[in-house]
Amino acid sequence: MKFGHFDDAGREYVITNPRTPWPWINYLGNEDFFSLISNTAGGYSFYKDAKFRRITRYRYNNVPMDSGGRYFYIKDGDTVWSPGWKPCKTDLDSYECRHGMNYTRITGEKDGIKAETLFFVPLKTWAEVQKLTLTNNTSKTRKLKIFSFAEWCLWNAATDMENFQRNFSTGEVETEGSVIYHKTEYKERRNHYAYYSVNVPISGFDTDRETFFGLYNGFDEPRVVLEGRARNSEAHGWSPIASHYLEVELKPGESEDLVFVLGYVENIQEGKWESKNIINKKKAKETIARFDTAPKVDAALEDLRNYWDNLLSIFTIDSGEKKLDRMVNIWNQYQCMITFCFSRSASFFESGIGRGMGFRDSNQDLIGFVHQIPDRARERIIDIASTQFPDGGCYHQYQPLNKRGNNDIGGGFNDDPMWLILGTTSYIKETGDFSILDEQVPFDNDMSVARSLFDHLTVSFDHVINNLGPHGLPLIGRADWNDCLNLNCFSEDPDESFQTTENKTEGSRAESVMIAGLFVVYGRDYIELCRKTGRQDEAERASRHVNEMIVTIKKHGWDGGWFLRAYDFFGNKVGSKDNEEGKIFIESNGWCTMAGIGSDEGLCKKALDAVKERLDCSHGIVLNNPAFTKYYIEYGEISSYPVGYKENAGVFCHNNPWIMIGETVAGNGGRAWKYYRKICPSYLEDISELHKTEPYVYSQMIAGKDAFNPGEAKNSWLTGTAAWNFYAVTQYILGIRPGYDGLIIDPCIPEDWKSYRVTRKFRGSIYHIEVTNPASVSKGVKEVSVDGEIIKSNVVPLFEDGENHTVKVILG
Ligand code: GLC
Ligand code: GLC
């Protein structure tokens, strides 16, 4: 069953039934000011950091689901309704929500009145702009009462939810004209406030929540709305809100636009006040003035649209396969931008409080957007590397506001360092900007111990070889990519976190075959980079280590039919035929086949076949099999999950592309493509009632074959799945891959694909690539011509000339 449809031309997903199986959301803003917005206008806003600068309040996991948002109430006689259906849930004559690229438009109609709401954060603006357009489609003059609503969060989203003995006494507001200002804690250490304005005179306002709703009413029945009159309440403590009251009269056929701005301001210390206890409103007024008419708002939306036109013009495909094209051209790239902005912090599954920017996550996210915003990728790489330790180890996460490592989350995840090599080399291949390697980058944010970024890559590489275990495989540390395979924790206490509890390293023999495979893949990238930059000796040294690791994996990481996953604390095998449960895992088989380890001896083929046989199911490839049915203290969190969910045999979508890429390395385009389709959201639209999450973005996890409800997805939006799938499909299936010296063309497709076209802007030229497959092969480039001339290799040269170039590729 579907709840809407794609509008590819408008780059929108159109929801036509507000009762989606889960709130289907969108993100507004892509730089400093952000909002989450559901299909019924639920959600919240923040400035840069969803924990420390939360602007509006949200209630997670509530009854009903998705409570709190920017709401409009329309009182028409005795009927009260909302354009987004919620919170009133009054039956509407029509409802539509269009989620587009960083904007959302929700339209409701009731008794001949149409209310169209547009929400977006204009470029370079610290505010969410909301345009409410009311139209009278009847032949009578209509009088409406409009109430807006936003609820202030007391800035720190964590303490806002717990410290009521203080919070209920601190809230402060100011109102002036049609603007409501939220200034809690401004008179002490904060230099920021928020505001909510409307561009017309108001007939009243409320800023005290209890006055607005009545203590025992829900969002669906605010007292003042039912009474039809604002009470002009001023909040002193308790829970400050912002609501404008407007009276609107519409003649037959008439329309009126109202523009609301929900914004954030920072002032310098000396410029905080206008007069005693009256805040300096200059900056707020400037922003409000930029959007005080509907044409100004429309122009700003047009700018946003142009911005996205440009971002999405860098890689486009025309394959004739609509569901593929819409993911590659629009939604997958959009989701990559969102994961770039938020890492794993703020979604409808991540509270914005618990997690900052992940070291490994942010590096992996980078491969999904580096072609779009290379400058910001560059900055991100430096930020991430600045939190590294001199020995190459890492904080697992850092906070976006201060860009410092966050110790509360733990560290010692031994895969972390290698991902910096992926991030950095991807950036250089895209841009050709080797100068980034010479940037002086601190360790643990301490500039006095800064070294070049290249040196950071060296310590990353060395962190692996300096931490080898008894078999010569990398020690796993607290965990590798799989946060939940905690081989050194032995936790018996339900009150401690697997991530931060003691990590027993003394005497541990716990090694990771996944890190070993990762080391081979990115070790080779490191070697290639050394050669490119004239560091021959370092390249030789690194090659020796990589070659040794390959030998070690074949000797100690092969289990006969597939690659082992790990050795545990005691040196016992994990992910082996000898295990009763968890005989085979996806991660090590993904990385070792991507690295092609033992492909000549047939190891990769065997491993990929084993994955197909044991891990594949109709909803994707599960993480491990058989699932763990009991708690294994020596494995940790992975065995804490019920079977089929999350890391315990869920389809963890993030790592499915590793197998897809492994299949392309082995030349199996058909299989890679089948795996791609299984988890690709546009292909799952028809089963939305089962899949549950948005059909336009990837989810982190789909319940696996052993689960109670296989096929049900969770954790949409903020997942490495976005970047990895974009990377796998564009670079390995479609096979258009940036290299240091040109664009590498190396497709691996199903044999029955006849042709496709890709336009790729790369290093200052536009390549129009046409791939044809007359011999029905899966892989193998027979001929490449550029502007009519056949070239000798499959690397299309750089022109850097701003011109269009025609590339014709014949497979065979
Ligand atoms: C989550 C984490 C990521 C981790 C993965 C597997 O997606 O953000 O860092 O690798 O889970 O545990
Ligand atoms: C990852 C995993 C999750 C685990 C968390 C711990 O996000 O997906 O299962 O609880 O890491 O931080």
Side-chain angles (χ1 to χ4, degrees), residues 366-547:
L366 216 127
I367 63 177
F369 69 83
V370 61
H371 61 294
Q372 294 186 324
I373 42 170
D375 294 348
R376 294 178 72 190
R378 190 184 207 274
E379 189 189 332
R380 175 64 56 84
I381 291 167
I382 306 285
D383 285 350
I384 300 171
S386 304
T387 66
Q388 194 174 28
F389 296 113
D391 74 346
C394 310
Y395 286 106
H396 200 41
Q397 291 178 18
Y398 69 97
Q399 284 308 128
L401 202 61
N402 58 20
K403 297 186 174 176
R404 287 181 181 271
N406 182 351
N407 232 354
D408 305 342
I409 312 290
F413 295 79
N414 279 351
D415 64 313
D416 272 336
M418 284 315 283
W419 300 109
L420 187 62
I421 298 178
L422 166 68
T424 307
T425 54
S426 299
Y427 168 78
I428 300 174
K429 286 176 190 165
E430 180 66 38
T431 58
D433 172 20
F434 286 92
S435 79
I436 191 175
L437 294 172
D438 303 325
E439 288 288 335
Q440 290 297 305
V441 181
F443 287 106
D444 197 4
N445 291 98
D446 178 356
M447 245 349 220
S448 71
V449 286
R451 279 164 63 191
S452 72
L453 181 65
F454 185 84
D455 288 347
H456 279 259
L457 302 188
T458 306
V459 295
S460 295
F461 182 89
D462 286 352
H463 191 267
V464 174
I465 53 179
N466 290 337
N467 290 281
L468 297 178
H471 296 97
L473 292 163
L475 289 168
I476 199 166
R478 181 171 294 281
D480 59 25
W481 170 87
N482 190 331
D483 278 333
C484 298
L485 188 61
N486 315 118
L487 302 180
N488 296 317
C489 281
F490 297 91
S491 180
E492 282 181 300
D493 178 355
D495 299 334
E496 65 193 14
S497 144
F498 288 99
Q499 266 62 47
T500 53
T501 185
E502 190 199 349
N503 187 33
K504 299 185 177 53
T505 46
E506 203 60 31
S508 171
R509 303 160 65 93
E511 299 170 294
S512 163
V513 179
M514 185 224 147
I515 302 181
L518 187 74
F519 177 76
V520 173
V521 173
Y522 297 127
R524 285 181 184 144
D525 273 8
Y526 177 70
I527 294 163
E528 190 190 11
L529 184 67
C530 290
R531 297 227 159 93
K532 274 274 144 222
T533 54
R535 295 171 167 96
Q536 291 306 337
D537 292 350
E538 178 61 359
E540 293 311 314
R541 181 186 78 96
S543 296
R544 283 195 299 276
H545 288 294
V546 168
N547 291 337

Side-chain angles (χ1 to χ4, degrees), residues 344 355 360-361 396 481-484 647 652 654 700:
R344 306 295 171 268
R355 303 220 254 172
R360 75 157 83 92
D361 292 339
H396 200 41
W481 170 87
N482 190 331
D483 278 333
C484 298
E647 280 88 341
F652 213 92
H654 183 145
Q700 180 207 53

